[in-house]
């Protein structure tokens, strides 16, 4: 078994490390050609591959000392984490067993920081601008738990939590999230989609930071709300539920494929107020018709995604500084378009899943310098009653993995002043 698993992980890594596709997609394509593999097989292979992606620079540094194909040595390191060194040893040669034992006995504290934390050099340089950045990156090299969210239109969090804790799902150790009033966190990677609570639309998968961003918008019943970059609809689902399926919620996205995936989710959640709209990247006439009419607009902007490295560790190696320049320009353009839809007295929330200042604070400040008709609101005041345990240091929602045990999310709440400047 160990020998076969090592061959499978080596093969999967060979596919993923070509960087042609995101790791999840590359693994899915690889697994499709092996239909006889069971769910446990896929889970162990995925865990081993993602461990390699989290620690790639460190593992490559160690792999230089071994013999044989480098991909196999990387697979040995990843699989020893996933299933344990003792279980793996049955599939290794004597030379490989000795090599692995030597590597695992090394003290990583003596390695250069960039190698120890497996940072690409450009990101290591960029992190010098961020306080306690090495603590942040160490936390982001840990595997994330699975975050769920109760649909507040259909169920109470405490009720669903009791059901999970007292039923067969108790083995996944469900607990209430510390900050989100709708969140439940579990261990493992169960098939939540077959749970009765999910099938009834009472439960969704949504990271806690994403839930808090939605809370920052504070949608109300009967309002016109726009989720400007809706994607597959994760935030729209919570927005619609908080609106009690009243008013009108526009789910905008440039991708028809993403919005089509969202439609069955809206139906399962019992939402009838969501209007999915495929828009053009610029100059869309349907967007123009909504200028100055929306009470709430959420811009979850396309970004580097570096705040999600716990879940997407391949982004460390697939992103590059040139792409950041493209993202920041795109963010500025989208923010301009979305802001035009905000009614006087209405709220605009700009958000990313990044920890880089150029995608976050700097982007917001540049917008405010250009638009005196908007003012910055204090996220602490907005969230203090909903999330009393959440400690924020400034006017922004600035979530960090090392401090909040969420993905890194940034959110800024802006209000359009009634009288234009």
């Amino acid at each position: 078994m160990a020998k076969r698993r090592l061959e499978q992980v080596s093969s999967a890594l060979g596919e993923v490390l070509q960087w042609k596709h995101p790791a999840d997609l590359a693994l899915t394509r690889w697994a499709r050609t092996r239909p006889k593999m069971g769910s446990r097989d896929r889970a162990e292979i995925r865990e081993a591959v993602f461990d390699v992606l989290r620690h790639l620079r460190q593992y490559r540094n160690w792999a230089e000392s071994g013999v044989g194909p480098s991909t196999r040595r990387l697979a040995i390191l990843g699989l020893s984490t996933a299933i344990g060194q003792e279980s793996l040893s049955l599939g290794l040669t004597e030379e490989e067993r000795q090599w692995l034992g030597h590597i695992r006995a090394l003290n990583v504290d003596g390695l250069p920081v960039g190698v120890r934390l497996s940072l690409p050099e450009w990101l290591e340089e960029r992190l010098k601008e961020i306080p306690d950045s090495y603590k942040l990156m160490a936390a982001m090299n840990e595997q994330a738990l699975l975050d769920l969210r109760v649909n507040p239109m259909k169920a109470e969090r405490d009720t669903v939590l009791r059901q999970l804790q007292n039923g067969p799902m108790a083995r996944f150790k469900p607990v209430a999230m510390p900050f989100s009033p709708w969140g439940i966190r579990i261990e493992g990677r169960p098939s939540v989609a077959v749970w009765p609570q999910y099938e009834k639309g009472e439960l969704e998968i949504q990271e806690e930071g994403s839930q808090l961003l939605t809370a920052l918008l504070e949608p109300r019943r009967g309002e016109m709300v726009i989720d400007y970059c809706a994607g597959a609809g994760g935030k729209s689902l919570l927005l619609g539920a908080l609106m009690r399926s009243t008013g009108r919620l526009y789910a905008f996205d440039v991708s028809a494929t993403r919005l089509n995936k969202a439609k069955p989710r809206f139906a399962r959640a019992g939402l009838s107020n969501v209007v999915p709209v495929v828009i053009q990247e610029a100059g869309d006439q349907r967007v123009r018709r909504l200028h100055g009419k929306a009470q709430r607009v959420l811009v979850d902007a396309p970004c580097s995604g570096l705040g999600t490295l716990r879940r997407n560790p391949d982004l460390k190696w697939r992103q590059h500084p040139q792409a950041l320049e493209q993202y920041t320009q795109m963010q500025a353009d989208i923010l301009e378009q979305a802001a035009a839809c905000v009614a006087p007295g209405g709220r605009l929330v700009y958000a990313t899943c990044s920890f880089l200042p150029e995608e976050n604070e700097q982007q917001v400040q540049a917008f405010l310098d250009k638009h005196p008709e908007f003012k910055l609101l204090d996220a602490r005041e907005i969230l203090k009653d909903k999330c009393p345990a959440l400690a924020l240091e400034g006017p922004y929602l600035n979530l960090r993995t090392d401090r909040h045990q969420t993905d890194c999310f940034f959110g800024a709440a802006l209000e359009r002043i009634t009288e234009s400047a």
Side-chain angles (χ1 to χ4, degrees), residues 65-78:
S65 64
V67 295
S70 61
T71 303
R72 180 178 172 88
R73 297 197 297 278
L74 293 175
I76 289 172
L77 293 168

Side-chain angles (χ1 to χ4, degrees), residues 321-382:
Q322 292 74 26
L324 278 176
E325 295 176 10
Q326 297 171 6
Y327 279 124
T328 53
Q329 184 58 57
M330 189 187 310
Q331 290 155 6
D333 292 344
I334 291 173
L335 193 50
E336 286 284 336
Q337 296 167 35
C341 296
V342 182
R347 183 176 300 177
L348 171 67
V349 169
Y350 170 79
T352 75
C353 50
S354 172
F355 49 73
L356 296 178
E358 58 262 49
E359 297 190 90
N360 297 338
E361 295 91 347
Q362 293 174 18
Q363 194 71 263
V364 172
Q365 191 57 55
F367 174 82
L368 289 172
D369 289 345
K370 190 176 179 181
H371 291 277
E373 71 273 22
F374 281 87
K375 68 176 181 179
L376 179 66
L377 303 178
D378 194 330
R380 292 170 294 191
E381 290 299 311
I382 297 171

Side-chain angles (χ1 to χ4, degrees), residues 237-291:
L237 287 167
L238 182 52
L239 290 172
L242 294 175
M243 296 166 71
R244 298 291 167 178
S245 201
T246 64
R248 180 159 292 193
L249 170 57
Y250 288 98
F252 287 172
D253 204 87
V254 296
S255 169
T257 301
R258 287 195 290 263
L259 286 179
N260 285 334
K261 290 180 180 178
K263 289 177 182 178
R265 300 176 74 190
F266 297 148
R268 189 177 66 252
L271 297 178
S272 58
N273 67 333
V274 184
V275 182
V277 181
V278 181
I279 63 172
Q280 302 297 314
E281 290 187 2
D284 191 284
Q285 290 303 312
R286 286 158 296 187
V287 175
R288 286 181 179 275
R289 287 198 290 269
L290 294 176
H291 279 190

Side-chain angles (χ1 to χ4, degrees), residues 45 84 87 93 120 122 130 136 143 208 293 304 373 393 410:
I45 292 165
S87 298
T93 66
W122 71 268
I130 299 173
L136 172 62
Q143 188 172 356
E208 183 173 26
K293 295 182 178 179
S304 65
E373 71 273 22
E393 295 181 352
F410 171 85

Side-chain angles (χ1 to χ4, degrees), residues 133-179:
S133 58
Y134 295 143
K135 289 182 181 178
L136 172 62
M137 296 313 297
M140 297 188 80
N141 276 340
E142 300 294 327
Q143 188 172 356
L145 300 178
L146 184 61
D147 287 358
L148 308 176
R149 176 187 54 75
V150 168
N151 179 351
M153 201 171 72
K154 286 193 170 189
E156 296 290 332
R157 197 248 309 260
D158 290 348
T159 302
V160 174
L161 184 58
R162 280 195 300 270
Q163 293 172 358
L164 298 181
Q165 290 175 335
N166 296 321
M169 293 80 165
R171 66 186 185 276
F172 301 115
K173 301 179 181 178
V175 296
M177 284 180 183
F179 308 126

